[in-house]
């Protein structure tokens, strides 16, 4: 893709979402409140855990959920564009429709990830000091940038299916929880059935969650963390390449017969 087109579409995405948030103060309030509700729930459940451990658990949970929400948000973005009647403009964008949707969504992911990580900085600073708190928040935000990688291809495929169908794909609601389950975010992979463990090894999200826990809890040595990171990047590249190939084939057919509006 042309670099100017790439930058122009990212800038358009930032303008879109900043304008959206500027006119949606209630949405910002809910966005900032949600992690604190998770903190209250964890505090009620885990009364013996230290405050610092609780805050790190909350930030990790926010990171994990954000990485999975990409699937729903991208498809939801396609639905919103359909309701607004502007899908034809996506079809004639300089890039492909799926790339245009991804580039217009990425700014929202960055803005929300930064807000969710930064809002715990004052509270975390009370327990561990400002410098360590800033380091933890920065680490979570950097991990959130990595977390956008593994499911972009799958998100594009879901968004394409939404564009191709005449209504919301009925399986969208259970896709994200299923990925969380198979990737070991809900239960340890070791207690899942053997065939689920085999599927988990193919998903890049499995290695993302393993990497996050290793970096924030210190459960692995430096060499092991590097190995997990390499597997994560490799599976992400393969996963996205295969799915993007399927999306490009489907989009060609979609553009040939026209996007349903």
């Amino acid at each position: 893709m042309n670099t100017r087109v790439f930058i122009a579409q990212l800038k358009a995405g930032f303008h879109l979402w900043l304008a959206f948030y500027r006119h949606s103060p209630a949405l910002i309030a809910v966005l900032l409140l949600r992690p604190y509700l998770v903190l209250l729930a964890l505090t009620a459940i885990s009364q013996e855990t230290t405050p610092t451990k609780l805050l790190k658990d909350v930030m990790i949970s926010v990171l994990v959920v954000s990485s999975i929400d990409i699937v729903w948000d991208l498809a939801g973005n396609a639905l919103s564009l359909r309701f607004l009647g502007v899908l034809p403009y996506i079809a004639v964008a300089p890039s492909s429709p799926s790339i245009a949707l991804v580039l217009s969504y990425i700014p929202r992911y960055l803005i929300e990830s930064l807000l969710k990580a930064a809002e715990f900085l004052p509270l975390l600073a009370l327990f561990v000091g400002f410098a360590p708190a800033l380091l933890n928040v920065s680490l979570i935000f950097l991990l959130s940038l990595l977390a956008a990688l593994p499911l972009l291809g799958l998100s594009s495929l879901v968004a394409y299916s939404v564009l191709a169908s005449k209504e919301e794909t009925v399986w969208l609601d259970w896709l994200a929880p299923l990925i969380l389950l198979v990737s070991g975010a809900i239960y340890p992979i070791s207690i899942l059935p053997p065939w689920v463990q085999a599927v988990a090894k193919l998903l890049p999200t499995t290695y993302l969650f393993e990497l996050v826990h290793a970096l924030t809890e210190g459960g692995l040595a430096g060499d092991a963390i590097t190995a997990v990171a390499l597997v994560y990047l490799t599976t992400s590249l393969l996963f996205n390449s295969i799915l993007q190939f399927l999306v490009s084939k489907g989009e060609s057919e979609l553009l040939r017969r026209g996007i349903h509006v």
Side-chain angles (χ1 to χ4, degrees):
M1 180 195 298
N2 185 296
T3 305
R4 284 185 60 189
V5 172
F6 178 83
I7 294 174
Q9 287 192 301
L10 272 183
K11 285 175 63 178
F14 274 109
H15 285 299
L16 168 68
W17 292 111
L18 288 176
F20 178 75
Y21 292 128
R22 191 166 57 246
H23 293 88
S24 309
L27 179 66
I28 290 289
V30 171
L31 182 71
L32 296 177
L33 180 62
R34 192 180 302 162
Y36 278 93
L37 293 177
V38 176
L39 176 62
L40 288 175
L42 286 180
T43 303
I45 296 172
S46 309
Q47 295 181 354
E48 296 181 359
T49 308
T50 64
T52 306
K53 177 70 167 55
L54 278 174
L55 286 173
K56 287 183 178 178
D57 286 345
V58 171
M59 289 193 289
I60 291 170
S61 71
V62 168
L63 169 63
V64 168
V65 172
S66 296
S67 68
I68 296 297
D69 276 351
I70 289 176
V71 180
W72 222 110
D73 288 341
L74 269 175
N77 193 18
L79 280 174
S80 299
L81 294 173
R82 167 175 289 165
F83 294 148
L84 293 172
V86 295
L87 275 183
Y89 296 102
I90 293 293
V92 296
S95 57
S96 65
S98 63
I99 296 296
L101 285 172
V102 169
L103 291 180
S104 63
Y105 167 73
I106 288 297
R108 173 184 172 181
Y109 180 82
L110 295 177
I111 293 170
E112 293 192 0
S113 296
L114 182 60
L115 286 175
K116 289 173 183 175
E119 70 171 305
F120 278 110
L121 180 61
L123 192 57
L124 195 57
L126 288 176
F127 296 106
V128 299
F130 181 75
L134 184 61
L135 180 63
N136 275 282
V137 169
S138 301
L139 177 62
I140 291 296
F141 180 64
L142 290 176
L143 286 171
S144 70
L145 300 184
L146 282 177
L149 290 177
L151 295 181
L152 282 178
L154 180 61
S155 303
S156 299
L157 186 62
V158 173
Y160 156 70
S161 73
V162 170
L163 294 178
S165 64
K166 294 183 179 179
E167 58 183 336
E168 180 192 347
T169 47
V170 294
W171 43 270
L172 186 57
D173 288 335
W174 54 260
L175 182 60
L178 188 62
I179 294 174
L180 284 173
L181 174 65
V182 175
S183 302
I186 300 176
Y187 301 107
I189 294 176
S190 57
I191 68 171
L192 299 175
W195 68 271
V196 178
Q197 294 185 33
V199 174
K201 291 179 180 177
L202 301 176
L203 292 176
T205 45
T206 302
Y207 306 103
L208 170 67
F209 300 156
E210 189 175 341
L211 184 64
V212 169
H213 286 292
L215 288 173
T216 55
E217 298 177 3
L220 292 176
D223 291 345
I225 290 177
T226 303
V228 173
L230 287 175
V231 175
Y232 164 66
L233 293 174
T234 304
T235 52
S236 294
L237 181 63
L238 291 174
F239 201 66
N240 284 329
S241 299
I242 294 171
L243 292 175
Q244 193 57 46
F245 174 77
L246 296 176
V247 169
S248 62
K249 292 294 182 185
E251 278 184 341
S252 299
E253 174 62 19
L254 185 66
L255 293 175
R256 188 188 65 78
R257 62 182 173 85
I259 295 177
H260 175 75
V261 296

